[in-house]
Amino acid sequence: MPVAGFALAQGMRPELFEDAIGMPFSRFLLSMDQMFDAQDVEKLWNVMDNTSMGPSASVIAATQFSLQGFYHGVLRGAAFAPTARKALEFICEFRSLISHRIELRLEETANFASFSFFDPTDLVVSGHCNQSGGAIQWQWLLDWVVGDIALHSVSFIHGRNGPAESYNDFFQCDVEFDCWADHSRLVFDREILDRPLRASDSVGFALARAQGRKLLEANPASADDPLTARIKKAIADNAADGVFEVGLAVQRANVSMRTAQRHAVREGFNLFDLIQQQRAKIASAWLTTEPERPIGDVAEHLGYSDDRAFRRAFKQWTGITPSQFKRLQQTPSRYEPKDPALPPTSSSSLRAAHPYD
């Protein structure tokens, strides 16, 4: 619904809107709480990117959306935090109030900090939600952190949906696309985390945290308890190492198999399904960034004995075959630069040195 509102606010003509979502415009107006699936949302983004409403709708959204409405008050509550670190930790803690699907991470090294994000719906679409979410988060930091701040780098796991210059102008740094990683991320100086916020208020922050916890308690399925978070992290870390076995994942989480299985049943998730989610993310990233890689190589890396088993699994994850997925990433609906001086990111650059690594 926020994307539909943004599209109309940007001047999308009713007939284009109807073509994109397959719904009469009058019906949409009579049912403003209408929910669209990922494919419909993707069509709206593509129409915005391919009409005269301006390039890179994903980043335009960051400056024109109502942040409080888009993020359901989570960013508004975070603005009361004493420091940028506490604010980002707050956003990560209450991320399920924004969407039960998104994954957020705040990580630190000696000199740098990284805010990472991932939306599973982007596995089958072109990354608009991922890119607009990153842009909105950076705009929020610019609005609320005291003093001048700048990014070292921005990396997205999907291809760009507009000219590179519009992304570089917005983030004021070089932006990488089609990066081989499990999350997209913003990287900046670690000292920014200790900066105060313009609206810092201890009472307001305490109230926001209390309200957030009350909302999570009212919908416990939307929040990860510490053990679930530890199991998910172990599965993700193993997947990054090319390991996709439940037994090794629970071992890495430092918990017995019996305890992990009982906990999964009690919390309503399946350990094998979590591993399959990681496989889906890795497969989609490889098929996007290295389409020339043989399907058999992808299948072998993901632990499949033959590519037929992998093809069946991939269709279960996404609803389409690996070959169809590759073609979808190369369809004309995605932005293709007309200037040969702006080639798409090559796979040889995907592992270039990164200041956060």
Side-chain angles (χ1 to χ4, degrees):
M1 182 62 195
V3 176
F6 172 62
L8 294 172
Q10 288 296 294
M12 181 181 290
R13 299 195 307 275
E15 60 269 25
L16 292 177
F17 186 90
E18 292 178 349
D19 289 343
I21 66 171
M23 176 191 298
F25 189 67
S26 58
R27 179 183 167 193
F28 168 77
L29 294 176
L30 292 173
S31 182
M32 293 296 286
D33 60 347
Q34 175 72 38
M35 298 297 293
F36 304 118
D37 61 23
Q39 286 74 22
D40 288 335
V41 171
E42 173 68 3
K43 291 174 184 176
L44 288 173
W45 281 119
N46 284 332
V47 170
M48 286 187 281
D49 279 333
N50 289 286
T51 62
S52 60
M53 285 181 284
S56 300
S58 299
V59 295
I60 294 173
T63 59
Q64 298 189 20
F65 265 175
S66 167
L67 297 184
Q68 290 84 359
F70 187 76
Y71 273 93
H72 301 284
V74 173
L75 290 186
R76 183 167 46 185
F80 293 124
T83 64
R85 176 184 285 102
K86 291 296 184 182
L88 293 176
E89 289 174 349
F90 178 92
I91 293 169
C92 290
E93 179 180 357
F94 297 109
R95 64 192 181 280
S96 60
L97 298 180
I98 301 170
S99 168
H100 69 278
R101 299 186 304 261
I102 63 170
E103 300 174 14
L104 302 176
R105 272 196 321 236
L106 176 63
E107 300 173 298
E108 301 178 50
T109 64
N111 299 312
F112 298 101
S114 169
F115 188 77
S116 306
F117 42 96
F118 173 75
D119 186 330
T121 60
D122 285 333
L123 290 173
V124 292
V125 295
S126 301
H128 286 103
C129 294
N130 190 287
Q131 292 170 12
S132 62
I136 287 171
Q137 185 58 61
W138 178 239
Q139 184 64 51
W140 184 90
L141 288 169
L142 287 172
D143 289 342
W144 294 106
V145 175
V146 172
D148 295 332
I149 60 174
L151 288 164
H152 273 281
S153 64
V154 176
S155 56
F156 289 113
I157 61 176
H158 297 86
R160 68 176 183 263
N161 295 293
E165 294 92 336
S166 60
Y167 289 92
N168 296 340
D169 289 346
F170 177 82
F171 290 106
Q172 290 295 294
C173 68
D174 289 334
V175 181
E176 294 181 73
F177 299 90
D178 288 325
C179 292
W180 173 237
D182 60 348
H183 285 61
S184 299
R185 61 183 178 179
L186 312 174
V187 178
F188 46 90
D189 284 337
R190 185 184 180 187
E191 66 86 14
I192 290 175
L193 293 178
D194 296 318
R195 300 268 194 97
L197 300 189
R198 303 182 194 280
S200 178
D201 182 278
S202 59
V203 174
F205 191 55
L207 291 173
R209 184 176 294 280
Q211 179 65 18
R213 288 175 175 166
K214 184 182 297 184
L215 291 173
L216 290 182
E217 289 172 2
N219 185 19
S222 66
D224 284 345
D225 62 277
L227 180 54
T228 299
R230 194 162 84 238
I231 292 172
K232 287 184 175 181
K233 185 177 187 305
I235 289 174
D237 290 344
N238 272 5
D241 296 334
V243 178
F244 302 93
E245 296 181 26
V246 171
L248 294 176
V250 298
Q251 181 179 338
R252 185 163 189 163
N254 195 28
V255 62
S256 71
M257 175 64 78
R258 184 178 182 183
T259 298
Q261 289 175 331
R262 286 183 172 181
H263 180 77
V265 171
R266 185 169 59 250
E267 296 299 320
F269 65 88
N270 183 286
L271 296 172
F272 182 71
D273 287 346
L274 295 181
I275 287 179
Q276 292 297 80
Q277 289 172 17
Q278 293 298 319
R279 279 176 161 150
K281 285 166 52 175
I282 292 172
S284 299
W286 258 6
L287 293 175
T288 299
T289 60
E290 300 183 55
E292 73 284 354
R293 181 182 289 272
I295 297 295
D297 286 359
V298 181
E300 182 179 359
H301 176 80
L302 296 178
Y304 288 94
S305 56
D306 62 78
D307 60 354
R308 288 177 299 177
F310 166 67
R311 291 175 194 274
R312 287 195 298 270
F314 191 87
K315 190 168 184 178
Q316 289 179 339
W317 301 332
T318 66
I320 57 178
T321 67
S323 298
Q324 290 171 327
F325 181 86
K326 286 186 187 180
R327 288 196 295 272
L328 183 63
Q329 305 310 303
Q330 299 168 357
T331 55
S333 63
R334 299 183 67 194
Y335 180 83
E336 294 294 340
K338 298 179 181 179
D339 187 344
L342 295 172
T345 305
S346 65
S347 59
S348 61
S349 66
L350 297 181
R351 298 303 299 169
H354 198 289
Y356 185 70
D357 292 331

